[in-house]
Amino acid sequence: MTRRNSGPVSRIDEQTYSLNIDAHDRETLNSLLDQLRDVLMNDSNSDVARRLFPAAYHQDEQHEQEYQRLMRNELLSSRLASLSLTSSMLERDHSAGQANLTSDELDAFMRSINSLRLILGTLLDVDEDEFEDEIEENDPGYGQYQLYLYLGWLLDWIVRAQTEGN
């Protein structure tokens, strides 16, 4: 048994991971996943969702339209499948404060968390070149910023667990 770190995600063995997130955080994440699912189902062409469907051909509109026509539904289906798997995993019994996940469940969890973070980054207008390191507590976007940081922290632990022992 490998369990070396004490974060929210750790590797148990080659195909099994431990998730240790309290019930309130799981409920909050599930609520956010429901909102993301709603955006994907009803408004996936909105500016808010643009980072979830990135352009492949920035310089060639005709190729870009063809790419989106061929790939968008597949990408949408993949994102929705990850959300469903993640929601069911978060709703599962987390006795003793933790749950064991398969590598597929952890991958779906990572994709879902990343999608949430991309949406928040869009709402916060995160730009790799100009994003402020901190937002003041009285800023209207402070709560979203804190959630953005939490999701980034969670993603970091997921990647650490996946690469542990490699």
Side-chain angles (χ1 to χ4, degrees):
M1 197 144 141
T2 304
R3 221 177 274 191
R4 282 183 229 135
N5 61 34
S6 61
V9 182
S10 59
R11 181 188 285 249
I12 294 173
D13 60 36
E14 193 65 30
Q15 294 294 314
T16 313
Y17 298 85
S18 171
L19 178 66
N20 182 10
I21 299 176
D22 70 39
H24 180 264
D25 286 357
R26 288 193 316 273
E27 288 174 20
T28 300
L29 286 172
N30 242 345
S31 173
L32 292 168
L33 293 173
D34 286 343
Q35 292 174 44
L36 176 56
R37 186 178 294 104
D38 186 53
V39 167
L40 290 173
M41 296 296 293
N42 299 309
D43 203 15
S44 67
N45 290 318
S46 69
D47 280 346
V48 171
R50 74 178 182 273
R51 286 189 180 171
L52 298 178
F53 302 97
Y57 298 95
H58 298 279
Q59 310 268 328
D60 187 333
E61 184 62 32
Q62 185 177 2
H63 279 98
E64 178 59 25
Q65 286 177 359
E66 182 67 7
Y67 171 79
Q68 292 295 330
R69 185 184 69 77
L70 292 171
M71 299 303 299
R72 189 175 186 90
N73 284 340
E74 184 176 325
L75 188 53
L76 177 60
S77 294
S78 173
R79 291 195 188 283
L80 290 171
S82 290
L83 291 173
S84 292
L85 184 55
T86 299
S87 288
S88 66
M89 179 269 301
L90 288 171
E91 291 169 354
R92 214 167 41 211
D93 180 31
H94 287 241
S95 56
Q98 64 121 37
N100 289 341
L101 310 179
T102 66
S103 58
D104 288 341
E105 289 172 326
L106 187 63
D107 285 343
F109 185 51
M110 180 177 64
R111 286 190 301 274
S112 297
I113 296 301
N114 190 55
S115 293
L116 284 172
R117 194 166 185 268
L118 286 170
I119 292 283
L120 272 172
T122 302
L123 292 171
L124 292 167
D125 199 26
V126 170
D127 181 335
E128 291 179 27
D129 298 329
E130 299 178 18
F131 190 64
E132 299 174 26
D133 287 335
E134 292 190 30
I135 292 179
E136 299 294 323
E137 284 186 50
N138 60 352
D139 187 293
Y142 182 76
Q144 289 176 333
Y145 177 72
Q146 292 301 309
L147 180 57
Y148 180 82
L149 293 177
Y150 173 76
L151 295 173
W153 173 80
L154 198 50
L155 281 172
D156 182 55
W157 277 102
I158 293 168
V159 171
R160 285 183 195 199
Q162 290 174 321
T163 58
E164 187 177 286
N166 290 343

